[in-house]
Amino acid sequence: MKKRILITLAAILVICLLLAFLQTLVIPKYADDKTKEGSLVSEYYAEAGGHDVLFVGDCEIYESFVPAVLWEKYGISSYVRGSPQQLVWQSYYLLEEMLEYETPNAVVFNVFSLKYGEPQSEPYNRMTLDGMRWSSSKIDAINASMTDEESFIEYVFPILRFHSRITQLTSQDFKYAFGSPKVSHSGYLMQTGVDPQTDFSKGRTELDYEISDNAWKYLDMMRALCEENGIELILVKAPTNTMKYWWHDEYEEQISEYAEENRLSYYNFIPLAGEIGIDWSTDTYDKGAHLNVYGAEKLTEYFGRILSEDFGIEDRRTDASLSEAWDVRLESYYKERNG
Amino acid sequence: MKRIFALLLCFLMIFAVVSCSKDENEEENGGDKGITTSQKSSVSFYVNYKSVKIELGADAKAVISALGTAKSSLSMGNCGGLGTLTKYVYDSLEIYVLASGSTETVDQITLLDDAVQTPEKVSVGSAKDAVISACGNGYSKMTDTSITYTSGSKNLKFTLRDGTVTGIDYLTVS
């Protein structure tokens, strides 16, 4: 009898291990150049703690602000927790999770995603949510983010969602089954290419320009969370503005009004691009949709001055252990930047 | 031993059955589907331009090919490598094409001047009353600055200023 039970338990264990292994094989690896943004969220844990400034938001945040430059020029220790089409409720829960690891002086949120009031797309949800460690924040983030076609159980057991990839596995699925390569520099995703912006015509019409109650709700929650923790919440809009990602005047009016009503600092860098020194013929890698590293460095240097002078974020370069950690990060940053 | 094999087979069968629960195309697109609303509209979601019928959701390759060379075009990739949006500009309209995998669909049509009419005979410059007269009261939303007709994920939006149509857009919202 005991032998039978042991054999049955062993068989169940083997099956579980087999399924776990299959799961590691079939889940997306985000290891190629086109999809590597999917690895950003999970990279935070290796550097969690000790930051003065945390950034959250969509692609505009992880392509615009360079923590290595903030440290090098101003001694500000920072991390960018961005992800593609990161929606405001995802930014909120990512921030909530990060505050379990650290309490920064300031949180910077890119406002572009406020145009979305509902869950949008499962692939983007996956790129943000799958990289989070399990916590109440992750559970809440999943529940807030799921589209009608998604189910919670598929986040718990991704094999239920991605099993059909078993017939489409590539060498990368085996190579990165137990971990993808590091893609960012403290959350900043470097792009060194140059593809000038030549089209400056107004972006396409949207169905509705009114920021939804749901989006406002999570921005309110983010503001309250920051207040409770004595953190300065700073709103920004990256300087990029193209037909695909157009910042309409109607959005600007609503955000400006919100910032004023709630006494928040809001920086729209679109009209400041000239003052910052951004040259759209050299400082973008995709026709103006996002900054490349040269544009991001200019913007970061400009914003670093604001953080340092207007918000009093301290220069911590005299902190030996922090300096040591950043020396390593800077070396890695310049190694990739300068090829 | 037979029972163990049976158990193993059961698990594998569950795995196999679950793997058939969604079609391949849906897997590739992450199950992204359009918003559906109960609102029905009597308006049409296409325009005729240069004798070519351009319809929201249609195969864009055929449409772009039939229209001939555009005045200009601009392509931009989505973040995370999830598709590309291309704007084709013609004399009197713009077409936005969404490419995902090997599929290219007409995602948005913007009428630029009064040289193009909707099938309901409304054009830029028409009066607000003319819009309602031609398209009916089945709009999904009306404000001082716009009237929108919706069917599923397809929308026809008339932008208004001082009671006159200043913009006409066919939009897919997914």
Side-chain angles (χ1 to χ4, degrees):
Chain A
M1 188 65 181
K2 269 189 180 176
K3 194 180 171 187
R4 274 189 180 180
I5 292 169
L6 281 175
I7 290 171
T8 306
L9 285 174
I12 290 169
L13 185 66
V14 168
I15 289 164
C16 289
L17 287 173
L18 188 66
L19 287 173
F21 179 66
L22 282 172
Q23 180 162 284
T24 61
L25 279 183
V26 298
I27 55 174
K29 304 300 182 295
Y30 306 122
D32 61 73
D33 269 354
K34 282 184 175 176
T35 62
K36 60 185 177 184
E37 290 97 321
S39 294
L40 290 173
V41 166
S42 63
E43 290 190 356
Y44 166 72
Y45 304 104
E47 291 183 31
H51 297 111
D52 304 308
V53 179
L54 294 174
F55 295 80
V56 285
D58 55 16
C59 53
E60 291 189 354
I61 207 96
Y62 67 73
E63 295 290 29
S64 297
F65 297 98
V66 191
V69 171
L70 280 180
W71 176 261
E72 189 177 36
K73 303 284 183 187
Y74 300 98
I76 294 171
S77 181
S78 65
Y79 196 93
V80 178
R81 195 98 186 271
S83 53
Q85 204 187 72
Q86 187 183 107
L87 303 168
V88 61
W89 41 94
Q90 294 169 342
S91 301
Y92 170 79
Y93 288 116
L94 282 166
L95 176 61
E96 185 185 73
E97 185 206 33
M98 285 191 285
L99 296 190
E100 294 294 319
Y101 294 86
E102 55 188 315
T103 307
N105 297 110
V107 164
V108 181
F109 171 63
N110 189 65
V111 295
F112 187 79
S113 64
L114 289 168
K115 65 180 275 192
Y116 301 108
E118 299 173 343
Q120 295 289 308
S121 151
E122 190 203 359
Y124 283 125
N125 282 345
R126 287 282 175 180
M127 284 187 179
T128 296
L129 302 170
D130 282 345
M132 291 178 78
R133 287 183 182 166
W134 280 103
S135 65
S136 61
S137 298
K138 175 165 179 164
I139 291 168
D140 292 340
I142 292 170
N143 284 323
S145 302
M146 282 189 297
T147 59
D148 290 343
E149 290 75 28
E150 295 178 77
S151 62
F152 188 85
I153 192 74
E154 291 177 341
Y155 280 92
V156 180
F157 300 111
I159 192 170
L160 298 174
R161 174 66 185 86
F162 297 110
H163 47 75
S164 67
R165 288 194 69 243
I166 196 75
T167 56
Q168 304 154 14
L169 295 178
T170 65
S171 57
Q172 286 197 340
D173 288 302
F174 291 92
K175 188 176 176 183
Y176 301 119
F178 299 102
S180 294
K182 190 171 179 286
V183 299
S184 82
H185 298 274
S186 303
Y188 168 68
L189 190 69
M190 188 183 294
Q191 302 284 355
T192 54
V194 177
D195 189 357
Q197 180 174 1
T198 54
D199 184 323
F200 294 91
S201 55
K202 192 180 176 187
R204 60 179 187 163
T205 307
E206 302 279 348
L207 187 61
D208 201 342
Y209 297 102
E210 196 174 325
I211 293 173
S212 72
D213 289 346
N214 196 36
W216 287 130
K217 181 182 96 175
Y218 282 97
L219 185 57
D220 281 340
M221 287 165 67
M222 198 184 298
R223 182 170 54 80
L225 185 64
C226 286
E227 274 175 17
E228 284 162 21
N229 288 277
I231 299 165
E232 188 87 41
L233 176 62
I234 303 168
L235 307 178
V236 295
K237 168 65 190 79
T240 45
N241 208 21
T242 58
M243 66 104 172
K244 189 163 165 37
Y245 304 107
W246 189 262
W247 187 242
H248 289 276
D249 292 344
E250 291 87 343
Y251 299 144
E252 176 66 11
E253 284 165 19
Q254 292 169 84
I255 299 298
S256 296
E257 197 177 316
Y258 180 90
E260 200 177 322
E261 276 176 10
N262 293 285
R263 295 179 184 176
L264 294 177
S265 297
Y266 169 48
Y267 298 91
N268 178 357
F269 293 116
I270 296 170
L272 298 173
E275 186 180 317
I276 294 164
I278 289 168
D279 178 347
W280 295 111
S281 66
T282 58
D283 294 339
T284 169
Y285 70 93
D286 55 0
K287 302 181 177 73
H290 305 92
L291 296 174
N292 60 18
V293 67
Y294 315 110
E297 286 181 348
K298 290 175 187 175
L299 174 62
T300 304
E301 196 164 340
Y302 184 92
F303 187 53
R305 196 174 303 119
I306 293 172
L307 289 173
S308 178
E309 293 175 5
D310 296 353
F311 292 94
I313 307 292
E314 281 180 40
D315 184 337
R316 297 176 68 191
R317 282 174 287 194
T318 51
D319 183 323
S321 64
L322 204 52
S323 281
E324 203 175 316
W326 276 102
D327 283 347
V328 175
R329 292 169 197 162
L330 279 171
E331 191 183 338
S332 164
Y333 174 78
Y334 280 112
K335 190 177 173 187
E336 183 179 348
R337 185 192 187 279
N338 300 329
Chain B
M1 205 60 180
K2 280 179 186 173
R3 282 184 190 171
I4 293 165
F5 278 120
L7 197 62
L8 266 168
L9 279 172
C10 282
F11 270 97
L12 290 173
M13 279 174 72
I14 290 167
F15 184 67
V17 168
V18 167
S19 70
C20 298
S21 63
K22 287 182 182 175
D23 65 49
E24 292 296 317
N25 194 38
E26 194 179 338
E27 290 283 340
E28 281 174 13
N29 294 317
D32 190 16
K33 288 176 182 170
I35 296 164
T36 53
T37 70
S38 58
Q39 228 129 17
K40 294 285 177 192
S41 172
S42 59
V43 301
S44 303
F45 295 93
Y46 70 88
V47 290
N48 285 305
Y49 180 64
K50 292 183 177 177
S51 304
V52 178
K53 183 180 178 182
I54 309 164
E55 187 166 13
L56 278 185
D59 172 20
K61 284 179 189 164
V63 170
I64 299 303
S65 169
L67 284 172
T69 310
K71 274 171 66 179
S72 66
S73 66
L74 175 67
S75 290
M76 281 190 174
N78 287 341
C79 302
L82 298 175
T84 303
L85 183 74
T86 304
K87 176 174 75 170
Y88 294 91
V89 182
Y90 300 89
D91 285 331
S92 295
L93 55 77
E94 293 173 349
I95 302 175
Y96 293 82
V97 170
L98 202 57
S100 180
S102 58
T103 311
E104 292 184 23
T105 53
V106 176
D107 190 60
Q108 186 166 334
I109 308 159
T110 298
L111 309 191
L112 301 173
D113 56 38
D114 60 5
V116 192
Q117 288 185 324
T118 71
E120 297 80 19
K121 309 292 183 199
V122 178
S123 63
V124 170
S126 295
K128 179 182 177 182
D129 291 345
V131 173
I132 296 174
S133 173
C135 301
N137 286 315
Y139 46 78
S140 53
K141 186 174 182 182
M142 181 163 76
T143 66
D144 289 342
T145 56
S146 69
I147 304 174
T148 304
Y149 294 85
T150 303
S151 178
S153 61
K154 295 177 180 178
N155 301 272
L156 170 57
K157 178 178 180 180
F158 297 96
T159 302
L160 307 168
R161 191 187 303 144
D162 301 328
T164 302
V165 175
T166 56
I168 301 177
D169 292 271
Y170 293 87
L171 306 105
T172 311
V173 174
S174 54

